[in-house]
């Protein structure tokens, strides 16, 4: 081999190595992995809401870079249209302590009203007999409520696990009970986790869409899609050992209630951004999908953009449009 041939071969090798390293540099596998992870978890939430016909939520923690996807499944729906109190999946109810409590002026058709009923009157639904009503890993409860007078009253109770109440100032409070273990390792009902809104959360003589959500991260109260109270918690919820009760307190709620929907958590996925990658400050704290897959319009007024900051001015955007598809 002559010196000229040797120099020619070495020159070709140098050119090929330069081209290969340049192509590899443009791949930026860490960047691609971060974008792929965020995109995948958002699509998982969207697909879950479509498949199960129930809400799904993605939480984006800007401080820690953690991403949590929570899917839910509707296990009970009641519209209070007849005295049989028919519910989904055959979970029908019964009036106790009074005759019919139905009002013709509901949110959609008829609704449930305790005006004029004696103390303790209630509607009961035997959800404790159905294993689908398992609140341990989280749940979502929704009710449409049009109060006439602002009184402190119990709105909903689910066994010994959960309570939703109205306060005299037009506020709301929610309480769940922790599932704990005693000294012998046996499960028992533990301490309360509570959240409360300020007074005036409920608007009198108007329909208020109340939602209480627990996803093993926080217990939250929302009215008309607006978050009004939150308490951090990651504990499991106590067993549902009694019926779902609407009303039933010594002071009954005033006004009309309608469209009660209960969903439970059926699965969650977690991820965390790679080291050196952060969410941009404009990234929302959560992305909420409604049943069917679209973004919840009560939370998001338009498409959502999740920004990933890779440093040195390099930013990648993952976009979720109003129909829930991820780009």
């Amino acid at each position: 081999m002559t010196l000229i041939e040797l120099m020619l071969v070495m020159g070709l090798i140098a050119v090929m190595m330069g081209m290969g390293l340049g192509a590899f540099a443009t791949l930026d596998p860490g960047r691609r992995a971060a974008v792929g992870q965020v995109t995948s978890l958002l699509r998982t939430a969207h697909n879950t809401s479509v498949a199960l016909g129930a809400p799904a939520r993605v939480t984006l923690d800007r401080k820690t870079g953690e991403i949590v996807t929570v899917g839910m499944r509707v296990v009970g729906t009641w519209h209070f249209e007849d005295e049989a109190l028919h519910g989904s999946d055959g979970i029908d109810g019964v009036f106790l302590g009074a005759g019919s409590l139905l009002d013709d002026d509901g949110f959609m058709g008829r609704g449930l009203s305790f005006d004029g009923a004696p103390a303790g009157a209630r509607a009961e639904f035997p959800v404790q007999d159905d294993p689908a009503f398992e609140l341990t890993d989280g749940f979502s409860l929704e009710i449409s409520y049009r109060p006439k007078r602002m009184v402190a009253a119990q709105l909903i109770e689910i066994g010994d696990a959960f309570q939703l109440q109205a306060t005299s100032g037009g506020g709301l409070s929610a309480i769940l009970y922790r599932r704990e273990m005693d000294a012998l390792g046996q499960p028992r009902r533990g301490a309360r986790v509570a959240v409360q809104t300020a007074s005036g959360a409920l608007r009198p003589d108007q329909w208020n869409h109340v939602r209480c959500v627990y996803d093993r991260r926080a217990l939250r109260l929302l009215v008309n899609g607006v978050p009004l109270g939150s308490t951090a918690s990651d504990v499991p919820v106590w067993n549902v050992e009694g019926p779902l009760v609407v009303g039933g307190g010594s002071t009954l709620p005033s006004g009309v209630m309608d469209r009660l929907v209960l969903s439970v958590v059926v699965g969650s996925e977690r991820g965390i951004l790679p080291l050196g990658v952060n969410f941009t400050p404009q990234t929302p704290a959560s992305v909420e999908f409604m049943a069917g897959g679209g973004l919840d319009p009560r939370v998001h007024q338009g498409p959502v953009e999740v920004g990933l900051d890779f440093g040195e001015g390099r930013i990648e955007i993952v976009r979720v449009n109003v129909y829930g598809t991820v780009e």
Side-chain angles (χ1 to χ4, degrees):
M1 181 178 295
T2 66
L3 180 60
I4 296 176
E5 291 173 325
L6 181 60
M7 293 176 64
L8 180 61
V9 170
M10 293 179 65
L12 290 172
I13 291 174
V15 171
M16 294 176 64
M17 289 184 65
M19 294 174 60
L21 289 173
F24 182 75
T26 60
L27 289 176
D28 197 350
R31 184 173 182 173
R32 292 169 64 92
V35 173
Q37 182 182 49
V38 172
T39 301
S40 176
L41 289 171
L42 287 167
R43 285 177 176 163
T44 295
H46 167 71
N47 294 338
T48 299
S49 64
V50 172
L52 298 180
R57 179 172 181 249
V58 179
T59 301
L60 307 163
D61 193 321
R62 291 190 291 264
K63 291 183 179 180
T64 65
E66 186 180 27
I67 316 157
V68 180
T69 296
V70 175
M72 293 188 174
R73 179 168 65 90
V74 175
V75 293
T77 304
W78 298 273
H79 292 285
F80 312 121
E81 291 300 318
D82 53 51
E83 281 72 12
L85 295 178
H86 289 303
S88 59
D89 296 327
I91 307 294
D92 300 337
V94 61
F95 294 120
L96 296 176
S100 175
L101 299 172
L102 299 181
D103 188 293
D104 291 333
D105 192 18
F107 180 69
M108 297 179 62
R110 305 172 86 179
L112 188 65
S113 175
F114 293 93
D115 292 335
R122 60 197 183 276
E124 280 195 5
F125 305 87
V127 298
Q128 74 275 19
D129 299 329
D130 190 331
F133 290 83
E134 175 60 68
L135 309 185
T136 301
D137 290 324
F139 61 91
S140 168
L141 185 141
E142 300 179 55
I143 184 78
S144 295
Y145 180 37
R146 188 184 67 204
K148 180 183 290 186
R149 294 178 294 106
M150 297 303 183
V151 296
Q154 176 176 287
L155 301 179
I156 298 171
E157 181 178 32
I158 306 176
D160 295 325
F162 174 77
Q163 296 172 354
L164 176 66
Q165 301 169 341
T167 67
S168 58
L172 291 165
S173 69
I175 299 169
L176 65 80
Y177 290 88
R178 303 159 52 115
R179 180 184 175 90
E180 298 178 349
M181 295 293 177
D182 62 19
L184 299 177
Q186 298 299 314
R188 65 178 179 85
R189 190 175 83 154
R192 308 187 313 169
V193 176
V195 61
Q196 185 167 335
T197 73
S199 299
L202 297 173
R203 298 171 300 178
D205 298 316
Q206 298 183 47
W207 284 105
N208 301 268
H209 302 292
V210 178
R211 186 181 179 201
C212 184
V213 182
Y214 181 61
D215 57 5
R216 295 286 295 271
R217 291 174 61 84
L219 177 63
R220 301 183 300 139
L221 275 171
L222 303 91
V223 178
N224 299 320
V226 179
L228 298 180
S230 178
T231 299
S233 177
D234 62 357
V235 298
V237 184
W238 179 240
N239 307 335
V240 177
E241 296 183 334
L244 185 154
V245 178
V246 184
S250 56
T251 301
L252 295 172
S254 172
V256 183
M257 288 183 281
D258 200 358
R259 204 179 64 87
L260 171 60
V261 181
L262 179 63
S263 307
V264 299
V265 170
V266 293
S268 64
E269 292 187 30
R270 295 175 182 266
I272 192 163
L273 294 179
L275 189 65
V277 183
N278 300 290
F279 289 118
T280 61
Q282 294 75 27
T283 296
S286 67
V287 180
E288 308 273 354
F289 297 88
M290 62 182 180
L295 290 178
D296 191 335
R298 296 170 297 181
V299 181
H300 307 293
Q301 303 305 312
V304 172
E305 292 187 346
V306 177
L308 299 176
D309 187 348
F310 297 89
E312 299 180 354
R314 297 180 302 160
I315 293 178
E316 191 90 22
I317 300 295
V318 179
R319 181 183 173 91
V320 185
N321 68 34
V322 293
Y323 299 106
T325 55
V326 183
E327 303 171 356

